[in-house]
Amino acid sequence: MSLFQGLQFLTTVNDLKTLPHEGVEVAFAGRSNAGKSSAINTLANITRLAYVSKTPGRTQHINYFDFGNERRLVDLPGYGYADVPERIRKHWQGLLAQYLSHRDNLIGLVLIMDSRRPLTELDRNMLSWFRPTGKPIHCILTKSDKLNNQEKVLALRTVKAEFADDAMITVQLFSSLKKQGVDEVEQVVGGWFAAAKERQIELDPTGGDSIS
């Protein structure tokens, strides 16, 4: 069975103090309406594992999903133009910045961007919070089925060029509708978990089996 097809919902939190202490996690983040929930559902091959809404910004908490063996996927609140009160918007921003900058359990960020409108100011904010950690980032350019071949090449080339000097950032095209790009995401995220396990074994040879 593939990595994501074992994914199960674990818990929802709205306070960084209540985050799990053990294990490692990969975060999925994206601008409202960029297709983050659809991407998670497609990867897991479950229609409604992550809630998909036509109203942007419905994900208002940090949702945890479990891969097993103390490995987790973290679905972060959608950010952007959601029609929500300013106090909630500020709460999201503070939550995301703090989590991405200081969460030790976090081993990598999957940044979801609409392939037709990548690298918005909000996307760049997310990157500015996480890049200083030195941990890997994988950019998924969603809704690629809405582009023709020439547009796909241009979108991919443009984002790759943005990060040409940063080996910790990788980029791919993705389509939830056509289920394209699933294997590439799985390879990247699986590689992060494998690397985390190796680091744990090096630090504590007797306790390395908790991540597999």
Side-chain angles (χ1 to χ4, degrees):
M1 184 172 64
S2 65
L3 174 66
F4 282 91
Q5 290 189 19
L7 200 61
Q8 296 183 357
F9 176 76
L10 183 62
T11 188
T12 296
V13 299
N14 194 32
D15 186 337
L16 296 181
K17 295 179 181 178
T18 61
L19 296 179
H21 296 293
E22 74 291 339
V24 292
E25 57 205 39
V26 169
F28 275 56
R31 188 172 183 267
S32 298
N33 212 31
K36 175 167 57 67
S37 294
S38 294
I40 294 172
N41 290 337
T42 298
L43 289 164
N45 198 28
I46 300 176
T47 304
R48 291 178 63 85
L49 181 67
Y51 184 69
V52 178
S53 172
K54 293 182 179 180
T55 304
R58 287 296 297 268
T59 303
Q60 299 180 14
H61 299 81
I62 296 178
N63 294 311
Y64 269 78
F65 299 87
D66 186 22
F67 289 106
N69 298 310
E70 296 188 353
R71 303 168 303 173
R72 297 179 295 270
L73 183 152
V74 184
D75 183 10
L76 296 176
Y79 53 89
Y81 56 83
D83 185 17
V84 297
E86 183 63 22
R87 63 178 180 81
I88 295 179
R89 194 189 306 272
K90 288 182 177 179
H91 171 71
W92 288 1
Q93 183 173 349
L95 196 73
L96 290 170
Q98 182 73 10
Y99 173 82
L100 291 172
S101 300
H102 302 292
R103 177 67 168 165
D104 290 337
N105 304 65
L106 181 59
I107 62 171
L109 172 67
V110 176
L111 182 62
I112 309 294
M113 296 186 286
D114 189 326
S115 60
R116 300 165 298 176
R117 294 176 290 275
L119 296 173
T120 66
E121 180 181 355
L122 294 165
D123 297 325
R124 294 180 188 278
N125 286 342
M126 298 291 288
L127 290 166
S128 70
W129 294 330
F130 190 71
R131 288 181 79 174
T133 67
K135 299 172 184 176
I137 300 167
H138 189 57
C139 298
I140 295 181
L141 306 183
T142 59
K143 307 183 183 182
S144 64
D145 53 276
K146 298 182 181 296
L147 304 178
N148 61 37
N149 289 337
Q150 184 176 0
E151 290 169 335
K152 289 178 184 179
V153 170
L154 179 60
L156 189 61
R157 181 185 298 162
T158 298
V159 179
K160 283 187 172 181
E162 176 85 11
F163 306 121
D165 61 345
D166 192 336
M168 298 303 289
I169 301 181
T170 50
V171 188
Q172 72 163 96
L173 293 169
F174 188 90
S175 170
S176 294
L177 181 64
K178 296 189 176 181
K179 300 187 185 302
Q180 294 175 342
V182 172
D183 290 344
E184 189 173 347
V185 179
E186 179 150 338
Q187 183 177 8
V188 170
V189 174
W192 291 350
F193 282 131
K197 180 182 178 181
E198 289 299 319
R199 288 194 298 271
Q200 185 185 56
I201 292 173
E202 289 175 2
L203 292 172
D204 181 10
T206 64
D209 291 339
S210 62
I211 304 172
S212 61

